[in-house]
Amino acid sequence: MTREEDIRRAVEVLRKGGVILYPTDTVWGIGCDATNEEAVKRVYEIKQRDDSKALICLVDSDARLQRYVRNVPEVAWQLIDSIQEGGKPTTLVLDGAVNLAANLIAEDGSIGIRITQEPFSKELCFRFQKALVSTSANISGQPAAQNYRDISPELLEAVDYVCWSRRQEHQPHQPSSIIRLRQGGEVEIIRK
């Protein structure tokens, strides 16, 4: 299957409110339409995760990021520029989340969001034209699936589509760094 066909099939499933497993710029992820409350609820159920623990989402561009965060602070743009120049994938937790499923947004109104530079997930986000939920492909409390072969059969059966791209990889992948940026300029490193 070509990458283009794989992405087309994944986008069809996402548009119908389905849940997918896909390779990201970090570990394999469970994904859905970040604007669809029912799909987000299903991801929490599949992960067996308390919905008070926020999920993050991926976007493909600066412009798309601005669609989901009311006021992106200047320091965020500086971090994004340094990440795009070869830094480790970094999720930013930003205040003022908008246009996303209510059950995806943290109680304080923030959202964890990352602009992916990895070709497959970037193209998937671009073709879908919306933010994608991206949470590690594992049951809550278990190790994240670094590669396709690490995904449990339980998860493979629980989703509506499993992407074909990058299934043959066998290399170490790490979760993203997470940095919390507050409107007042306060920076907190949550995960290095």
Side-chain angles (χ1 to χ4, degrees), residues 75-132:
V75 68
W77 295 121
Q78 293 166 4
L79 278 168
I80 289 165
D81 286 345
S82 70
I83 294 161
Q84 290 175 344
E85 292 169 10
K88 179 181 181 184
T90 302
T91 300
L92 301 178
V93 180
L94 302 169
D95 292 327
V98 292
N99 304 318
L100 293 165
N103 55 347
L104 186 60
I105 300 170
E107 286 183 17
D108 66 2
S110 67
I111 186 67
I113 196 163
R114 182 169 77 247
I115 301 172
T116 180
Q117 298 301 318
E118 183 274 327
F120 182 86
S121 55
K122 188 173 187 78
E123 181 76 8
L124 179 62
C125 289
F126 175 76
R127 295 283 173 214
F128 185 51
Q129 295 287 296
K130 291 183 186 179
L132 267 183

Side-chain angles (χ1 to χ4, degrees), residues 29-103:
I30 301 173
C32 71
D33 178 349
T35 67
N36 181 325
E37 237 176 283
E38 283 303 310
V40 171
K41 181 180 175 202
R42 243 184 96 210
V43 170
Y44 280 115
E45 290 168 355
I46 289 168
K47 278 192 70 84
Q48 300 170 23
R49 183 173 177 168
D50 181 356
D51 66 7
S52 67
K53 291 185 176 181
L55 302 173
I56 67 158
C57 51
L58 285 185
V59 292
D60 63 314
S61 66
D62 295 359
R64 192 119 30 232
L65 171 72
Q66 293 179 80
R67 185 183 299 174
Y68 301 110
V69 178
R70 191 170 285 117
N71 294 305
V72 180
E74 184 55 39
V75 68
W77 295 121
Q78 293 166 4
L79 278 168
I80 289 165
D81 286 345
S82 70
I83 294 161
Q84 290 175 344
E85 292 169 10
K88 179 181 181 184
T90 302
T91 300
L92 301 178
V93 180
L94 302 169
D95 292 327
V98 292
N99 304 318
L100 293 165
N103 55 347

Side-chain angles (χ1 to χ4, degrees), residues 20-32 56-59 89-91 114-125 132-137 144-148 151 163 165-167 169 171-176 191:
I20 66 169
L21 285 170
Y22 67 109
T24 75
D25 53 343
T26 59
V27 297
W28 269 71
I30 301 173
C32 71
I56 67 158
C57 51
L58 285 185
V59 292
T90 302
T91 300
R114 182 169 77 247
I115 301 172
T116 180
Q117 298 301 318
E118 183 274 327
F120 182 86
S121 55
K122 188 173 187 78
E123 181 76 8
L124 179 62
C125 289
L132 267 183
V133 164
S134 181
T135 182
S136 56
Q146 293 184 37
N147 296 285
Y148 170 77
I151 301 170
C163 291
S165 298
R166 293 181 45 206
R167 282 191 186 189
E169 273 185 9
Q171 59 190 32
H173 294 279
Q174 296 297 318
S176 70
R191 182 170 68 202

